[in-house]
Amino acid sequence: MNIVDWFIDRFRLKSAHRGIFERDIPEGINYFYCFGGIAFTSFLLCFVSGLFLSLYYVPSEKEAYLSIQRIHEDVNLGKLIRGIHKWSANFLIVSIMIHSFRVFITKSYRPPRELNWIVGVFIFVVVMLEGFTGYLLPWDQKSYWATVVGTNIAGSIPFIGQTLLLIIRGGYDVTGITLIRFYSLHVLWFPLIVVILLWAHFHMIKKLGVSKPL
Ligand code: HEM
């Protein structure tokens, strides 16, 4: 037994791999059924590149923009990692849309998968919020004003709008407090929520299997 086989055997990697990845796939599925997996791959890329960016990004009013410049110009592979983060985020949103469209067209939201559709809707909302909070982080004119407009929309919700606006911005205006709030949501709260929701999503897919094409 060579060292690789020994490791695979002792770590019980084959049964773990079988448990996680091997499942019955119904006959007649096509490439559109790959978009859930593509969304997951994009999420992983986003997650890992984000971990590297967080080593250099500084979430403060004075430093945020400068730290992004530093990532671009001084940090080894910084520009590449930032590009991967941005593009995988875009891919994630597009692939989630195509995936939801596939699920809708094949009527896979019907019982017994209706709860997984609901979980999917929550994933979609949190991923969009993840994108929105990330957009402010470069702290340039475009991100600042996009956040002013976006949060104003939340502020226009009847009855709760103004309170919501104060909570989101951490005051009446978009300031350094908003930046810290968005940073925390972007790197901690939302990723954690997405991971929990994805666990529920995959758990149900594993138990129910992928739906048979119509
Ligand atoms: C990051 C986001 C998401 C990931 C990584 C993901 C991943 C997956 C994967 C890998 C599958 C297995 C079949 C396939 O790939 O098509 C699946 C199935 C499913 N997904 Fe998602 N998904 C996401 C978002 C969503 C959203 C937004 C919805 C709906 C609004 C949704 C609803 C469903 C349903 C109902 C199934 C079962 C479909 C069937 O059995 O044919 N998912 N998902």
Side-chain angles (χ1 to χ4, degrees), residues 33 36 40 99-100 102-103 108 113 117 120 123 201 205 210-211:
Y33 284 73
F40 187 55
H99 171 60
S100 322
R102 190 288 285 170
V103 172
S108 309
R113 296 181 178 80
W117 173 264
I123 296 177
H201 201 59
I205 293 164
V210 175
S211 63

Side-chain angles (χ1 to χ4, degrees), residues 23 32-41 43 92 96-97 99-100 102-103 106 108-109 113-114 116-124 127 194 198 201-202 205 208-212:
R23 64 203 55 192
F32 280 103
Y33 284 73
C34 296
F35 277 93
I38 294 174
F40 187 55
T41 310
F43 174 74
L92 175 60
I96 289 183
M97 284 176 173
H99 171 60
S100 322
R102 190 288 285 170
V103 172
T106 55
S108 309
Y109 50 78
R113 296 181 178 80
E114 73 277 32
N116 218 5
W117 173 264
I118 294 168
V119 169
V121 172
F122 278 107
I123 296 177
F124 185 71
V127 167
V194 171
L198 278 180
H201 201 59
F202 292 150
I205 293 164
L208 300 169
V210 175
S211 63
K212 285 195 182 72

